[in-house]
Amino acid sequence: MGRKVHPIGYRLGIIQPWEARWFAKNNDFSKNLNQDLKIRDLLKEYSGKAGVSRVEIERFPSKIKVIVNTAKPGILIGRKGENVKKIRTDLEILTGIKIDLDIKEIKEPDLDAYLVAINIAGQIERRVAYRRAMKRAISQAIRQGAKGCKIEVAGRLGGAEMARTVWLREGRVPLQTLRANIDFAKYEASTTYGQIGIKVWIYKGDILPGVEENAEHTEGVYISE
């Protein structure tokens, strides 16, 4: 069996940034790491249907900056910012330090692998045919400007007795090319027949590192084909 590498972890420090950006000495590392996990779990409880894809954490001596990337910021913010105030208060109680909460909107949710995976999982749970859900997600990603998209589902598809794996791809998905900006995510759909695993790869184009121009969370410039 081939050895597979996580597409985002493979590119960390080259064209992909870390989601947690901080430095710790001695025993503070495990404490900060556990605190990060609790922060993400708390935000997951509050996010609900807000479409939260990624939570970035930056630590400073006197505060923690939490950046929440969501497709529906209005749901997360709440009426007159009530939800945000409650989230900030709970995070400050959890960490014991000032929290700077920043909510960013994901303008193209069809190009976010995690949101695409959640969307497919929701359709499978509503008993939509898995191939139809996969084809629709791929076509929407390509329409939004993706260079390539691959989706894989595995489990008792359609209630079959034996689990199997099915994948569809359109365009290029160069997993071994370090300059290729590939968004990857996995999610599980809970059905009456068991869990259906979903993996999504979205290739957005190439990035040349070292060029002083930001391309949304990465330093570089996109190269069109």
Side-chain angles (χ1 to χ4, degrees), residues 17-154:
W18 282 263
E19 289 188 359
R21 297 182 284 276
W22 45 265
F23 177 79
K25 293 182 180 178
N26 301 328
N27 298 327
D28 289 339
F29 181 83
S30 58
K31 174 191 166 187
N32 290 352
L33 185 61
N34 284 317
Q35 203 173 78
D36 282 4
L37 294 172
K38 289 177 182 177
I39 288 171
R40 293 177 198 279
D41 289 339
L42 183 67
L43 287 167
K44 195 179 289 182
E45 289 176 14
Y46 277 105
S47 60
K49 297 180 179 179
V52 173
S53 169
R54 188 172 55 255
V55 177
E56 300 171 62
I57 299 170
E58 295 178 356
R59 290 180 180 270
F60 302 93
S62 59
K63 68 175 182 179
I64 299 174
K65 185 175 182 180
V66 180
I67 304 167
V68 184
N69 295 273
T70 174
K72 300 174 182 176
I75 294 175
L76 196 62
I77 292 168
R79 184 174 293 179
K80 295 182 180 178
E82 291 177 0
N83 210 15
V84 167
K85 291 175 185 175
K86 192 174 181 184
I87 293 170
R88 187 184 289 112
T89 303
D90 287 353
L91 287 174
E92 287 176 352
I93 292 169
L94 176 68
T95 59
I97 193 169
K98 184 184 175 184
I99 297 291
D100 186 3
L101 192 61
D102 184 13
I103 296 174
K104 289 186 177 180
E105 182 183 2
I106 299 171
K107 295 181 179 178
E108 295 177 330
D110 291 329
L111 293 179
D112 190 288
Y114 187 73
L115 297 180
V116 171
I118 289 177
N119 183 29
I120 293 170
Q123 292 184 62
I124 290 174
E125 287 171 358
R126 294 194 302 271
R127 302 198 176 187
V128 174
Y130 66 92
R131 281 187 184 275
R132 183 180 174 189
M134 292 164 70
K135 286 179 181 177
R136 185 184 298 169
I138 289 173
S139 65
Q140 286 175 343
I142 297 297
R143 197 179 301 123
Q144 288 291 326
K147 305 287 183 184
C149 181
K150 178 183 173 184
I151 298 175
E152 180 179 294
V153 294

Side-chain angles (χ1 to χ4, degrees), residues 175-194:
L175 297 178
Q176 297 299 312
T177 307
L178 284 171
R179 67 175 177 269
N181 183 24
I182 293 178
D183 193 12
F184 171 76
K186 52 187 177 180
Y187 198 74
E188 288 184 355
S190 300
T191 68
T192 53
Y193 301 105

